[in-house]
Amino acid sequence: MSSYEDSYLNKRPQELCHMCGKCCRVVTTMRPYSELLELQKQGEQAACEFLSIFEPFPSIEEAKKADKGTVENIIEHLQADGKYDESKVTFYTCKYLQDDNKCSIYDKRPTLCRHCPSTPWAIVPPGCGFEGWLFMKREEDKERVRKAKEELLEMEVLKKRVTNIETLNKIYAVEHKLQRTIDLYKKYGSENW
Ligand code: SF4
Ligand code: SF4
């Protein structure tokens, strides 16, 4: 199986980025700010890294002043996924983003920046150069899941014809692998694809 780096990260066409700085100007996290602070105290790497560059906006209205379109886009996505809770959402901005939209620590920027957008399912700002490419990658993920579902159905038919225990065990192993593929995308709605 290819690694995350080989199958996704290294394939991102960097030339699609038009360096608008939007993904640095306004971001949010799935974890509430209070939880991030707690994790930072415990030394959790991802929380420490995130809070080493991002500072919270005092309110959603302040975040909207920085980039209304991006804030509303994030809220819409979270609402669509049933994950929006205004009392728990904090927006952040990066302290290293310059007025010319360039990163002042580009050569030393943390891993989370180097990995952005980190999955085809990442919410990117409206107009981000990666939008079309990410859409295509999401379609590829959906196709992979649909194929796994088809093969699971074929396994069901096959099981009815097989009596040999060894062959049956092989079928169970294949089924397990196919189900894992479907489960991998569950948080993105793979059950409905
Ligand atoms: S460190 Fe640089 S690349 Fe990372 S979010 Fe800040 S400005 Fe953007
Ligand atoms: S929002 Fe998209 S196009 Fe703009 S800097 Fe970030 S990755 Fe590049």
Side-chain angles (χ1 to χ4, degrees):
M1 189 189 280
S2 59
S3 67
Y4 168 54
E5 281 79 10
D6 291 342
S7 64
Y8 174 74
L9 274 187
N10 298 341
K11 289 195 172 153
R12 290 168 306 158
Q14 294 302 330
E15 67 277 11
L16 294 178
C17 176
H18 32 245
M19 292 178 272
C20 61
K22 285 185 174 190
C23 55
C24 313
R25 187 164 296 111
V26 176
V27 302
T28 192
T29 57
M30 294 315 294
R31 287 169 167 160
Y33 184 41
S34 56
E35 199 179 316
L36 280 182
L37 287 171
E38 192 48 47
L39 289 166
Q40 185 190 35
K41 268 192 218 157
Q42 293 165 18
E44 202 239 23
Q45 199 191 339
C48 291
E49 192 172 76
F50 183 86
L51 292 175
S52 72
I53 59 170
F54 286 110
E55 293 174 328
F57 282 103
S59 66
I60 294 179
E61 286 318 307
E62 285 302 314
K64 279 186 183 172
K65 282 182 198 166
D67 188 341
K68 190 166 183 265
T70 296
V71 172
E72 288 178 346
N73 182 54
I74 291 171
I75 292 175
E76 272 169 31
H77 273 84
L78 295 178
Q79 282 173 335
D81 292 343
K83 291 175 185 161
Y84 184 65
D85 178 348
E86 191 173 325
S87 65
K88 289 188 181 161
V89 169
T90 300
F91 288 93
Y92 306 81
T93 192
C94 179
K95 56 188 172 196
Y96 296 111
L97 181 66
Q98 302 177 147
D99 290 343
D100 62 0
N101 296 330
K102 289 194 176 135
C103 173
S104 61
I105 55 162
Y106 189 76
D107 291 336
K108 291 182 192 156
R109 69 199 189 287
T111 308
L112 77 96
C113 307
R114 292 171 195 271
H115 285 187
C116 179
S118 59
T119 83
W121 300 87
I123 305 173
V124 292
C128 169
F130 284 100
E131 273 181 324
W133 186 78
L134 293 174
F135 174 81
M136 195 187 73
K137 299 306 281 179
R138 289 196 295 276
E139 290 303 304
E140 285 175 13
D141 286 348
K142 288 181 184 176
E143 190 50 41
R144 197 169 298 125
V145 167
R146 285 187 207 113
K147 197 161 180 293
K149 285 183 179 178
E150 272 173 31
E151 288 177 13
L152 267 182
L153 290 175
E154 284 166 19
M155 291 299 127
E156 278 303 316
V157 176
L158 203 58
K159 274 192 297 188
K160 287 182 185 140
R161 294 195 201 132
V162 171
T163 49
N164 178 294
I165 191 73
E166 243 179 64
T167 312
L168 270 175
N169 282 338
K170 280 182 189 163
I171 294 174
Y172 293 142
V174 172
E175 280 183 332
H176 182 68
K177 208 171 152 196
L178 292 168
Q179 191 58 50
R180 264 206 349 229
T181 301
I182 298 166
D183 292 346
L184 194 64
Y185 297 97
K186 212 170 181 175
K187 59 183 167 190
Y188 306 120
S190 62
E191 278 158 347
N192 302 319
W193 299 345

